[in-house]
Every structure is written in structure tokens, then in C-alpha cells.
Amino acid sequence: MNILVINCGSSSLKFQLIDSGTEKWIAKGLCERIGIEGSRITYTPAEGEKEETVTPMPDHTEAIRLVLEALTNEKTGVVKSLSEINAVGHRIVHGGEKFASSTVIDDEVMKAIEACNDLAPLHNPANLIGIRSCRELMDQTPMVAVFDTAFHQTMPAKAYMYGLPYEYYEKYKVRKYGFHGTSHSYVSKRAAEFLGEKYEDMKIIVCHLGNGASVSAVQNGKCIDTSMGLTPLEGLIMGTRSGDIDPAIMEFLAHKEGLGIDEVMNILNKKSGVYGLSGNVSSDFRDLEKAAGEGNEKAKLTLDAFDYRVAKYIGAYVAAMNGVDAICFTAGVGENGSTTRERVCAYLGYLGIELDKEANAKRGEDVVISTQDSKTKVLVIPTNEELAIARETSALLKA
């Protein structure tokens, strides 16, 4: 089964065509600056060269059309016609409490996703545009929605409820939802498989560390807690997001700076995190590492604060599960930041962890980076959200 995986952002669209039988990607690419001047599509067939084309993309429908055109192109396409694309899997950021698992898309599902728009105003509308565009151009192809929040729906109420008047949960479903669920699910399952252990018998902590970052606690095959909340703003310090703060800071800044709530939220979401804390050095951890190495004290402080928060969440989830068998690092920083992993693990001596420096230097592969005599396993597991979406899509349509 050939499955087209679509991940729509507000002005971008990532795609992969995956053979669900071999689980290999056939082609992949990215549409950027949709609706903005200078839009372009990057397309790479598995057995060909990367192509980049600058072309107008006024909307997501045109972006989808260009993707399908690239996949069926006579010279560099990988399928002869759209009939060879058997299904489409869509990444949806927020499914609220409605969706605890992936689902085949129909009109009722579309309405339910739209009802979650208030919970993810930057993401869900773009995800819906992607679905509508695909349905318009591929009206006979079955489609599946795979939700970022679904994996975390196994959290108990004690983990997802906030200390707010209960009526806000009843009226507006204000609670912790968590995100990056597709990645946390894939990495935790892959870790158990890689270690040769039963997933249902393990206690696993997954650290998805990138520009967006989150930590999850997975016990006996189920997520019992995660660091992101009602929105992706809660939890770790991230690229431009503040992560956990005293809520009173919002009122304090509003009064001191003469700001409205939207302006304060813009600061917390887009001007904070490692970018803001470093004095606007960068939201890219590679730039921060370079600046710190050159003696920039704010960059050093920023990296220290980030590592400390990750270690604190790991400690909290060890307590929540009363132990841990494996700690996994994944995503851009988690997979490639050997110094980040080393600094975080320096806090975890109480878990009997010692890093194997040679293994920790490896990149791009599943690897145990703790020494053989460490009491707790530490792994790097490269995430593959597209493959996870393809698996969910295939399983649903074959059921």
C-alpha cells in the first residue's frame, strides 16, 4: 500500500510517500512559504536527485496539486497515476477529548476536528485546509487523521487536571492534552523493540527535544504524563516558547510594559525560550553551542537552564512511575546534541547512569549510549513521525 503522509502548517506542507509493506519512503519533500511571496517546493525521489522549484503557491490546494504533480511527473515521478496512491494520512495537532486514536476521515470527523480549532488556532485550521485540498483533488482516496494528542489520552485525571475551578473543564475542556504524541508513541515502542523487551512491561521516559520540546512518561505501554499542556506552551524551555512560568508574570508584564493579553502571549510563544533567554542569540541550539563556546555567558546560561529543566522533568516522571527502565532522546536536539545529552545525564547519577562517550558520539541510528553496567538504559532513537502516521493509516484501512 502506497500511503501519502501530509503534515500541513500555516504556511508549509511536509510530505512523504511511503510503501507500507517495506516501510521505506518512495519520495518526500516540502512546500514552503505558502501564500507568501517566494514560495517553493522541494522534492526528492528515493532513487533520484533533490529538486527545488520556486513557484507561486497562493494556497494549500495549489501546494497539494504541486505535490501530486511532482509524484506523477513523467521524468522524476515515482507513480504513474494518482490511483497508485492508496491512502492519505494527515497529521492533526489537536483532537481534544474526542479522539483517543486515529480515525478514518468523513464529514463528521471534519466537524469534530474543527470544533478543536480554539485549542490549536495556529495548527488545526491549517490541518483542515490540507484535508479539504486532498479531498478535492483525490476524492476517491481514503484518508486518515492521526492526532498529536491521541497518545496522551491515556493520562489519568490526576495528571491532566489543572488546579482551576472545575467549571472551566466542564464548560471549555481546559486540561492538559500534550503534543508530539506520534513521536512519543513511535520512540517508546521502538525503544522496547530495540532492547528486546515487552513494551507492556516497561517504564520509559521519552525526551523529544527540538525547537518544540516535550517529555513523556510511558508506563506499561501507556502514556501517564507529559510536559506540554492545554497548548504546546507548557513544559520545557523551547526554541521561542517560555515553557513553565509563574502565571502572575503575565499580569506583571502587562502592567509594566502596557501590553494587552495578545501581546503578552506573543512574547511567551514567539520571543521567549532559548531565543529570548539568550538575549536573542538564536532559537537554534547549534548557534547557542557555538556562542557558548566563544564565551557568551547568556548562551551558556540558556543551555544550562534548558538542560536543568529536562533533567527535572525526567526526575518527576521517575517518581510518577516509581522507577524507569529506559530514557530515550529524540528529535533534532535529542538525536544530534551529544553535549546536551551528556549535560542532562550528568544530573541522573542517582539512576546509576554512566554514558559511553563513543556511543554518545554516534548520529542517525538507534543506539544505547549508556555503559553496559549502567542500571538504567539511555538510548538515542531517531523519531519517524511520517512512518508512524503511515502505520496508523495502514492499520486502520486494513482493519
Side-chain angles (χ1 to χ4, degrees):
M1 182 183 286
N2 291 334
I3 297 172
L4 178 60
V5 176
I6 296 289
N7 181 353
C8 269
S10 57
S11 62
S12 66
L13 185 157
K14 288 197 294 186
F15 66 94
Q16 276 195 27
L17 185 65
I18 295 173
D19 180 337
S20 65
T22 63
E23 296 197 334
K24 302 290 186 184
W25 64 272
I26 303 168
K28 62 182 178 180
L30 172 67
C31 297
E32 298 177 274
R33 299 178 65 83
I34 299 169
I36 304 169
E37 188 176 344
S39 52
R40 62 181 177 269
I41 177 173
T42 304
Y43 167 73
T44 308
E47 298 182 2
E49 297 295 320
K50 181 178 179 179
E51 304 172 4
E52 186 174 298
T53 306
V54 177
T55 183
M57 271 181 255
D59 52 36
H60 286 73
T61 300
E62 178 62 14
I64 295 284
R65 190 190 68 76
L66 288 167
V67 168
L68 299 179
E69 190 177 272
L71 293 171
T72 56
N73 183 284
E74 283 189 10
K75 291 183 178 180
T76 57
V78 291
V79 292
K80 292 180 180 178
S81 71
L82 294 183
S83 63
E84 293 181 42
I85 298 175
N86 307 108
V88 182
H90 291 270
R91 179 215 179 195
I92 310 297
V93 167
H94 217 307
E97 290 189 326
K98 176 73 175 177
F99 298 104
S101 60
S102 302
T103 187
V104 176
I105 296 170
D106 58 21
D107 290 342
E108 288 303 308
V109 169
M110 292 287 284
K111 290 177 185 175
I113 294 171
E114 191 168 7
C116 296
N117 280 2
D118 284 350
L119 296 172
L122 296 178
H123 298 90
N124 271 34
N127 300 156
L128 284 164
I129 289 169
I131 296 173
R132 292 190 185 105
S133 299
C134 282
R135 292 178 96 190
E136 182 181 325
L137 296 167
M138 309 170 73
D139 61 345
Q140 299 301 309
T141 306
M143 302 193 188
V144 168
V146 181
F147 300 91
D148 265 12
T149 50
F151 181 64
H152 305 303
Q153 283 295 300
T154 52
M155 286 189 291
K158 66 183 179 182
Y160 69 67
M161 289 299 293
Y162 291 118
L164 295 169
Y166 195 81
E167 64 183 285
Y168 297 137
Y169 172 69
E170 292 177 308
K171 291 196 305 191
Y172 310 119
K173 297 302 178 187
V174 175
R175 51 158 285 185
K176 175 181 283 196
Y177 288 98
F179 299 89
H180 297 141
T182 308
S183 176
H184 286 287
S185 174
Y186 173 85
V187 170
S188 57
K189 288 170 184 169
R190 176 61 188 144
E193 178 186 32
F194 185 66
L195 292 172
E197 302 287 348
K198 282 189 68 177
Y199 185 50
E200 295 77 14
D201 294 339
M202 294 193 74
K203 297 174 180 179
I204 302 170
I205 293 172
V206 178
C207 303
H208 177 109
L209 308 181
N211 201 272
S214 60
V215 183
S216 68
V218 183
Q219 184 171 3
N220 303 331
K222 294 181 179 179
C223 176
I224 64 156
D225 207 346
T226 190
S227 58
M228 284 180 167
L230 174 73
T231 75
L233 185 57
E234 185 181 355
L236 300 174
I237 296 170
M238 304 176 222
T240 62
R241 298 183 190 125
S242 66
D244 297 336
I245 62 167
D246 178 348
I249 290 172
M250 298 174 70
E251 180 188 35
F252 182 85
L253 288 179
H255 289 326
K256 290 289 186 183
E257 297 283 326
L259 302 172
I261 186 65
D262 290 343
E263 292 170 301
V264 173
M265 291 305 297
N266 186 59
I267 291 170
L268 297 182
N269 274 297
K270 298 181 179 179
K271 297 181 180 180
S272 300
V274 297
Y275 173 75
L277 185 54
S278 67
N280 302 352
V281 169
S282 180
S283 62
D284 190 309
F285 282 76
R286 291 168 294 188
D287 296 336
L288 291 169
E289 294 282 2
K290 183 174 182 292
E294 293 170 351
N296 186 310
E297 292 301 323
K298 287 181 183 175
K300 287 182 183 177
L301 167 63
T302 299
L303 293 171
D304 286 345
F306 176 81
D307 301 334
Y308 180 66
R309 288 286 185 92
V310 175
K312 277 213 308 183
Y313 265 101
I314 290 172
Y317 291 161
V318 171
M321 296 190 293
N322 194 20
V324 62
D325 300 309
I327 298 168
C328 306
F329 290 91
T330 193
V333 178
E335 293 170 27
N336 301 305
S338 59
T339 54
T340 296
R341 296 192 296 264
E342 189 175 341
R343 291 192 300 259
V344 170
C345 289
Y347 287 100
L348 308 178
Y350 66 97
L351 295 174
I353 290 173
E354 185 178 339
L355 286 194
D356 179 327
K357 291 191 175 182
E358 185 177 335
N360 189 42
K362 294 182 179 180
R363 295 178 67 169
E365 60 181 288
D366 299 331
V367 60
V368 175
I369 62 172
S370 51
T371 58
Q372 285 191 341
D373 57 355
S374 290
K375 293 179 182 177
T376 303
K377 299 285 188 187
V378 181
L379 301 87
V380 176
I381 303 286
T383 192
N384 193 334
E385 292 172 275
E386 288 78 15
L387 177 57
I389 291 170
R391 284 175 174 172
E392 293 275 334
T393 301
S394 176
L396 262 178
L397 296 177
K398 285 180 179 176

